[in-house]
Amino acid sequence: MSERLRLATVWLGGCSGCHMSFLDMDEFLFDLADRADLVYSPIMDVKEFPEGVDLTLVEGAVANRDNLELARDLRAKSARVVSFGDCAVSGNVTAMRNPLGDPLAILERVYVDAVDRDGGIPDVAPIVPGLLAQVLPLHNVIDVDVYLPGCPPPADRIRSAVTALLEGALPRDRGEDIRFG
Amino acid sequence: MATPIDLHEVAIRELETRSRYPWRIKACASTACQSAGAGPAYSAMEREISNSGQTQTVQLVPTGCMGLCSRGPLVRVLERGGDETMYQHVDAEIGSDIVKSHTGQRIPIQSNVLDHHGPFFAEQRRVVLANAGIIDPDRLESAVAHGAYLALEKAITTMTPDQVVEEVRASGLRGRGGAGYPTGTKWSLLAGAAGDQKYVIANGDEGDPGAYMDRTVMEDDPHRVIEGLAIAAYATGANRGYIYVRAEYPKAVERLDRAIRSARRNRLLGRRILETDFTFEIEVRIGAGAFVCGEETALMASIEGKRGMPKLRPPYPTERGLFGNPSMINNVETLANIPAIIDRGSEWFRSIGTEGSPGTKVFALAGKLENTGLIEVPMGISLRTIIDDMGGGVPSGGAFKAAQTGGPSGGCIPEQFLDTPVDYASLSELGSIMGSGGLIVMDDTVSMPEVARFFMEFCMDESCGKCVPCRAGTVQIHGLLDKICTGRGTAGDLALLEELCVVVRETSLCGLGQSAPNPVVSTLHYFRPEYEELLVDREAVDA
Amino acid sequence: MRERRKTIEFVVDDTEVDAYEGESVLQAARRHGFTIPALCYVEGLSVWGACRLCVVELAEQHQLRPACAVTVEEDMEVITDSEAIRRHRRTVLELLFAEGNHVCAVCVSNGACELQDAAVAVGMDHVRFDYQAPVRTIDASHPKYVSDPNRCILCTRCVRVCDEIEGAHVWDIAGRGRGARLVAEMGKPWGEAMSCTWCGKCVATCPTGALFYQGRAVGEMRHEPDMVARLVAARRDHQWIAPGAHDE
């Protein structure tokens, strides 16, 4: 496989810790740069998700309308999608709002109940995208090819998964590599 | 100690009393007719008999279920040595008219006469319900006049316990609670179990939605259940029995209590029954209405006063059951067959029904039919006979779609299999079960995925919560069905649903979970396109 | 003492092994190094048989049975691993993860959790079912311990260890189906349960982060379910000090 791979990373409802862990791959990033072009990422200034992406790592859960749109868009334009980290795989911390109820209940909890000075729920529509009724794992809204749990997945796990995917294979027999948390 | 009852003398006295009246009016006082207004009708007839001076000529008897519940309240007028007339929809007005006109002036009220020779009645073979709608369930004498306790007398005075077990085994009777386990085998297991303390238990925790076979037996002929249980105790060496009734059946509890007291007074229960060495006590235990308590081990836990949760088997109840002692649980309807088998012999019993499923089965016929109610039919009768002839078919304007048997553990049977004989093997081949006897007919307005969702909701709510596949699996199956029914389900959801059904069926701890997927599996088998029509693309689902 | 118990031969995954008479398939197979995951089973407590994770196939019956509840019989053939078994185990685990609010990243037991370990063991890398996100209230009323029902899998280890080993019977299950929940003393806050002896056996046996010590932060909780077997053996053999404990 000598052709350069088109690689993307996406940040949905998450803390960006998975991206930090990605950057923790240190010198492997140079090897990766030899093999692949990063065509879309929160660390780049690209507005539109591009066409013809070979591999997309998606961090974060699907929490709002923007997340949902981007998830559907990237699925249509990516050959392989990886659920990257616990939030994408399970909703994780991002989904801890789910038991609290619908978006209005969440906003009340955050902007009214939990503050000393009640300024009310800010009216920010349509600038801030609307919250979904429930925070969802990525595979609830699009097809996912590979799951890479971990909060965040340690750098070496990312590396072994990405290495396999660069070879065009799906990671197998992963043992501890799929541990949540 | 009171002198034991002389059954024959009581019967003769009862029949003599009866023959004094030229007219007898039997009014159904069973739960279904009560809810249709039988109470006021009964009072009206009572009043009219007195007002019109017919107290010496008309005997009014409150009875149990006559069967055709959808036409209730039902009343039968019997003339001495003469005809029987059956009335439907008897309200207070019709009731007093019957007394005024029919018994008073021999002019029947034609508008409410019901043809009791029609197929609904003619196709029936009443063994378990032989006395239902005939006797006054609150009077021991009334039951005795119709043969109650003769079989017990025969068993304990002329047969050894082994002979009784053998007779039951030879009859081929199978458990009427659903699974169809051979009753004689169960009895011989308990009879062979070591231990001084053994228990026999009647399972009256009828939990299927729409089913009221056992309730009817307990309410309308409680002595038959008591007699069956006493014979079981004699045959297996038990000296104590329980009748486990769900709390939703207060009338059954009341009647059983009263029946047990009068049986005890007459030395038909208690110490030295009918002056023999046989001693047997029965106690009624009331369940809190949890479906899972119909499962043997959960039922026993409930009797012990514990949380109604099933236990692992083995050990089986006949080895270590109630309070750690060998025990046996028989369904109420199963036990209600016993007196007739002992009385008339296993050969007679085998002459009814089929080779593999001898005897009769009581069904609660419900759903989209002209006639609904309670029927007792010989095994082997076709579903078509039950539905088209007895049930009168789907009311005009509708078309038959499916028959659901076996309640939440059963399955749906489509049109093309209606000629299947009703027996344990044939129904299970069709992916359904005999079950306890619920039979619900659905017409073409019914959506099968919604039927599956309904039953799954029932199982989800009734799961005891002990094992993971049933507790959490039924929730997910229900969730997937709900998605599909509400136009949010994808092909992936359908595939997941099918996979989950297998897991829940194969890994659940007790029968509740193991059979919970049946309504889904059977509707998917016969009506798959209905599911597929409802599926959507994931993109179309709004998160 | 153990050596004198009668042994019988049976077959686990084509390997002939021995079992003590009366031993369960789970006990015997584990003793011989076969790994069978289980969540409700703990050596030394009564068998509950509810998690259904330890299902194995009995060759002659072609039927899945919980290994904890099947007593070894002579020449019995047991299959502990197959495509079907793995699929069933995985599904059961997915059901558990979807049922509660299991957020490993913020759990006291992260890294030392039997539920988390089981997911690794059966290869469960995601949950296909919808998360139920139930509303469950944490009980931190006890001065020493906390109960977080969000992480409870209703294995009843705590119920059994409290009843069978400690003899206090503080815990029980209330409600049914998805409403089933752990309750202390018929539904009191744990801190008000007068029957609690503060022995901590429930906390020690909890497979997840549902029961833990006050003050423990993420990943700081370590459970000790082996304690039950040690206690049972100590009571039986009157051997209260672990062999070799004096050497230090």
Side-chain angles (χ1 to χ4, degrees):
Chain A
M1 224 208 231
S2 57
E3 267 177 51
R4 294 180 62 80
L5 217 75
R6 286 167 62 78
L7 176 70
T9 73
V10 170
W11 181 21
L12 303 180
C15 71
S16 89
C18 299
H19 273 84
M20 297 297 136
S21 196
F22 182 85
L23 296 176
D24 267 352
M25 291 196 294
D26 303 335
E27 63 268 33
F28 177 73
L29 292 172
F30 290 105
D31 299 345
L32 189 60
D34 284 344
R35 317 257 317 259
D37 289 326
L38 196 61
V39 295
Y40 182 89
S41 173
I43 56 171
M44 295 165 69
D45 189 15
V46 181
K47 306 292 185 211
E48 286 286 312
F49 194 90
E51 299 282 343
V53 176
D54 296 299
L55 179 63
T56 302
L57 306 183
V58 182
E59 176 191 343
V62 183
N64 61 35
R65 295 257 146 229
D66 264 18
N67 295 158
L68 179 62
E69 264 172 48
L70 181 51
R72 284 174 174 169
D73 189 36
L74 73 88
R75 177 69 266 186
K77 295 168 175 171
S78 309
R80 283 210 165 126
V81 173
V82 179
S83 242
F84 178 33
D86 277 358
C87 289
V89 175
S90 74
N92 199 32
V93 175
T94 313
M96 285 174 74
R97 77 154 156 97
N98 287 351
L100 297 177
D102 63 13
L104 189 65
I106 309 298
L107 294 173
E108 272 173 0
R109 175 84 171 248
V110 172
Y111 288 104
V112 182
D113 300 346
V115 292
D116 294 331
R117 255 180 18 172
D118 183 0
I121 299 169
D123 180 17
V124 288
I127 306 163
V128 178
L131 295 177
L132 300 180
Q134 295 269 286
V135 175
L136 299 169
L138 185 63
H139 64 268
N140 274 32
V141 301
I142 61 168
D143 290 338
V144 167
D145 302 296
V146 176
Y147 298 85
L148 191 50
C151 184
D156 54 345
R157 276 196 221 169
I158 308 174
R159 194 169 104 174
S160 68
V162 169
T163 306
L165 286 160
L166 285 175
E167 303 298 330
L170 294 177
R172 293 176 63 85
D173 299 328
R174 296 189 291 160
E176 281 292 322
D177 280 2
I178 59 161
R179 183 175 285 273
F180 285 82
Chain B
M1 196 180 274
T3 23
I5 187 170
D6 184 328
L7 294 169
H8 305 274
E9 197 197 303
V10 168
I12 289 165
R13 215 177 324 126
E14 181 72 10
L15 293 171
E16 274 172 7
T17 312
R18 177 202 289 179
S19 62
R20 284 207 294 271
Y21 295 95
W23 296 96
R24 284 183 302 134
I25 301 179
K26 299 200 171 189
C28 178
S30 190
T31 303
C33 282
Q34 285 288 352
S35 62
Y42 188 87
S43 308
M45 287 188 281
E46 213 171 25
R47 230 179 3 253
E48 191 56 41
I49 290 171
S50 154
N51 289 348
S52 58
Q54 297 185 63
T55 44
Q56 298 302 310
T57 50
V58 179
Q59 186 190 30
L60 181 61
V61 184
T63 71
C65 182
M66 298 177 185
L68 192 41
C69 303
S70 58
R71 306 285 181 89
L74 298 175
V75 165
R76 272 207 295 238
V77 177
L78 294 97
E79 189 178 357
R80 184 168 52 200
D83 279 347
E84 171 183 337
T85 311
M86 197 166 196
Y87 285 107
Q88 58 183 347
H89 302 306
V90 179
D91 57 15
E93 199 180 325
I94 302 291
S96 54
D97 283 354
I98 289 172
V99 176
K100 269 187 218 140
S101 168
H102 192 154
T103 62
Q105 304 165 38
R106 291 184 162 270
I107 306 166
I109 310 298
Q110 288 303 340
S111 59
N112 287 62
V113 170
L114 176 66
D115 175 19
H116 64 279
H117 299 294
F120 183 87
F121 297 98
E123 297 283 354
Q124 296 202 42
R125 180 76 194 256
R126 291 192 152 210
V127 174
V128 167
L129 297 177
N131 292 350
I134 309 268
I135 62 163
D136 176 353
D138 276 333
R139 295 183 59 247
L140 174 70
E141 298 77 10
S142 181
V144 168
H146 285 86
Y149 295 106
L150 285 176
L152 176 65
E153 187 184 50
K154 178 179 177 184
I156 64 177
T157 59
T158 69
M159 295 168 84
T160 66
D162 284 351
Q163 284 172 327
V164 177
V165 171
E166 192 41 49
E167 196 66 37
V168 172
R169 192 211 304 273
S171 76
L173 176 66
R174 297 169 67 171
R176 300 294 195 241
Y181 191 78
T183 306
T185 310
K186 215 183 216 182
W187 286 28
S188 63
L189 284 172
L190 186 66
D196 298 335
Q197 179 66 62
K198 297 180 190 175
Y199 296 100
V200 286
I201 302 164
N203 184 353
D205 188 61
E206 186 173 46
D208 291 8
Y212 56 106
M213 298 75 59
D214 297 344
R215 186 190 76 201
T216 304
V217 177
M218 292 186 288
E219 283 182 1
D220 297 354
D221 200 0
H223 291 287
R224 186 178 297 269
V225 182
I226 293 167
E227 188 181 3
L229 195 60
I231 293 170
Y234 174 72
T236 57
N239 58 18
R240 203 167 175 82
Y242 290 91
I243 304 179
Y244 188 85
V245 189
R246 61 197 305 230
E248 288 91 333
Y249 290 175
K251 199 167 192 176
V253 172
E254 188 193 311
R255 291 215 167 129
L256 283 166
D257 271 335
R258 189 170 300 148
I260 289 169
R261 278 203 308 275
S262 64
R264 203 177 278 141
R265 271 201 304 278
N266 290 288
R267 301 275 303 276
L268 293 162
L269 281 177
R271 282 164 45 76
R272 298 185 46 82
I273 292 171
L274 292 172
E275 306 248 271
T276 65
D277 287 337
F278 176 50
T279 292
F280 181 58
E281 292 283 359
I282 296 182
E283 201 179 315
V284 173
R285 283 290 167 110
I286 305 172
F291 184 60
V292 74
C293 286
E295 197 276 344
E296 293 192 337
T297 57
L299 187 152
M300 291 189 301
S302 179
I303 290 180
E304 289 172 4
K306 295 175 183 155
R307 191 178 153 80
M309 272 188 163
K311 286 189 196 131
L312 293 162
R313 295 185 301 183
Y316 289 94
T318 46
E319 302 157 50
R320 200 158 78 232
L322 191 62
F323 301 113
N325 296 309
S327 311
M328 175 179 81
I329 301 181
N330 284 151
N331 171 264
V332 160
E333 190 184 330
T334 313
L335 289 168
N337 274 293
I338 298 296
I341 291 171
I342 298 303
D343 191 29
R344 309 176 72 168
S346 56
E347 217 160 291
W348 164 82
F349 189 75
R350 277 199 166 280
S351 72
I352 309 167
T354 66
E355 178 70 32
S357 308
T360 62
K361 181 77 195 81
V362 182
F363 285 98
L365 199 53
K368 293 288 172 64
L369 284 175
E370 281 292 346
N371 305 325
T372 58
L374 207 66
I375 55 168
E376 182 172 356
V377 288
M379 294 270 195
I381 193 171
S382 77
L383 278 169
R384 196 180 295 283
T385 308
I386 294 179
I387 291 165
D388 286 352
D389 300 341
M390 304 180 75
V394 176
S396 55
F400 175 88
K401 184 167 184 180
Q404 211 276 350
T405 69
S409 314
C412 289
I413 298 165
E415 232 275 305
Q416 67 261 37
F417 296 109
L418 279 191
D419 291 314
T420 306
V422 172
D423 60 54
Y424 290 99
S426 309
L427 289 179
S428 119
E429 260 168 51
L430 293 180
S432 188
I433 57 168
M434 176 81 76
S436 58
L439 180 52
I440 303 167
V441 170
M442 291 170 276
D443 70 6
D444 56 358
T445 61
V446 172
S447 146
M448 298 319 271
E450 282 178 20
V451 169
R453 181 177 60 172
F454 167 82
F455 282 114
M456 194 48 65
E457 185 177 1
F458 178 87
C459 289
M460 172 178 80
D461 290 340
E462 292 295 340
S463 168
C464 79
K466 180 170 177 174
C467 76
V468 180
C470 177
R471 180 183 76 226
T474 53
V475 170
Q476 294 292 349
I477 293 178
H478 179 261
L480 288 162
L481 287 168
D482 192 53
K483 273 191 190 174
I484 292 169
C485 288
T486 54
R488 297 176 293 127
T490 64
D493 290 326
L494 184 59
L496 188 57
L497 173 70
E498 293 193 89
E499 193 186 324
L500 184 54
C501 282
V502 175
V503 174
V504 172
R505 191 178 64 208
E506 291 189 10
T507 62
S508 288
L509 194 156
C510 83
L512 198 168
Q514 287 160 11
S515 62
N518 286 358
V520 186
V521 173
S522 87
T523 50
L524 263 169
H525 184 69
Y526 293 120
F527 303 95
R528 194 182 186 88
E530 275 192 51
Y531 283 84
E532 286 167 345
E533 271 167 29
L534 293 167
L535 300 182
V536 293
D537 286 337
R538 179 135 74 178
E539 300 282 301
V541 184
D542 189 39
Chain C
M1 229 160 110
R2 275 182 170 269
E3 288 69 27
R4 272 190 231 126
R5 284 164 69 187
K6 201 182 155 200
T7 60
I8 42 180
E9 303 286 314
F10 78 121
V11 179
V12 181
D13 296 338
D14 297 325
T15 312
E16 193 159 300
V17 294
D18 60 9
Y20 299 117
E21 201 169 32
E23 227 178 359
S24 70
V25 168
L26 184 68
Q27 287 172 313
R30 279 188 171 176
R31 211 158 38 72
H32 290 286
F34 294 93
T35 49
I36 301 175
L39 286 170
C40 64
Y41 181 81
V42 170
E43 186 69 42
L45 295 182
S46 62
V47 173
W48 186 238
C51 77
R52 315 310 270 185
L53 207 58
C54 70
V55 285
V56 294
E57 200 181 313
L58 302 185
E60 60 269 44
Q61 295 179 16
H62 295 288
Q63 197 190 18
L64 291 173
R65 302 272 296 130
C68 66
V70 177
T71 307
V72 175
E73 283 166 30
E74 191 80 48
D75 298 328
M76 182 182 251
E77 273 184 56
V78 179
I79 300 155
T80 68
D81 192 20
S82 73
E83 189 58 40
I85 290 170
R86 233 173 302 159
R87 202 171 52 235
H88 282 84
R89 287 180 184 159
R90 189 194 149 130
T91 306
V92 165
L93 270 180
E94 287 177 71
L95 289 172
L96 277 174
F97 272 94
E99 176 184 54
N101 294 309
H102 298 282
V103 188
C104 300
V106 295
C107 180
V108 284
S109 292
N110 189 14
C113 167
E114 293 182 52
L115 182 65
Q116 199 182 28
D117 291 347
V120 171
V122 304
M124 190 208 87
D125 60 1
H126 74 291
V127 172
R128 292 165 298 170
F129 304 113
D130 284 353
Y131 287 94
Q132 299 297 302
V135 180
R136 296 177 180 172
T137 315
I138 294 170
D139 180 355
S141 61
H142 196 285
K144 213 170 151 194
Y145 316 113
V146 182
S147 159
D148 183 351
N150 292 289
R151 301 164 181 161
C152 177
I153 56 169
L154 296 169
C155 66
T156 71
R157 284 186 188 183
C158 53
V159 177
R160 286 173 286 150
V161 78
C162 186
D163 177 41
E164 296 165 16
I165 307 295
E166 180 61 8
H169 203 128
V170 173
W171 297 112
D172 230 315
I173 304 293
R176 70 177 180 222
R178 61 176 157 180
R181 64 200 180 278
L182 185 66
V183 287
E185 249 180 34
M186 310 292 277
K188 275 191 201 150
W190 192 358
E192 291 170 25
M194 299 304 287
S195 56
C196 176
T197 63
W198 298 35
C199 76
K201 291 185 183 68
C202 54
V203 178
T205 48
C206 181
T208 71
L211 300 178
F212 57 96
Y213 296 117
Q214 289 274 8
R216 294 292 159 97
V218 171
E220 288 183 354
M221 190 62 207
R222 293 291 176 273
H223 300 277
E224 210 195 343
D226 295 348
M227 173 239 258
V228 180
R230 277 207 309 278
L231 264 177
V232 170
R235 288 178 183 180
R236 184 190 59 219
D237 304 336
H238 303 288
Q239 176 85 47
W240 295 97
I241 297 158
H246 290 302
D247 300 351
E248 287 174 31

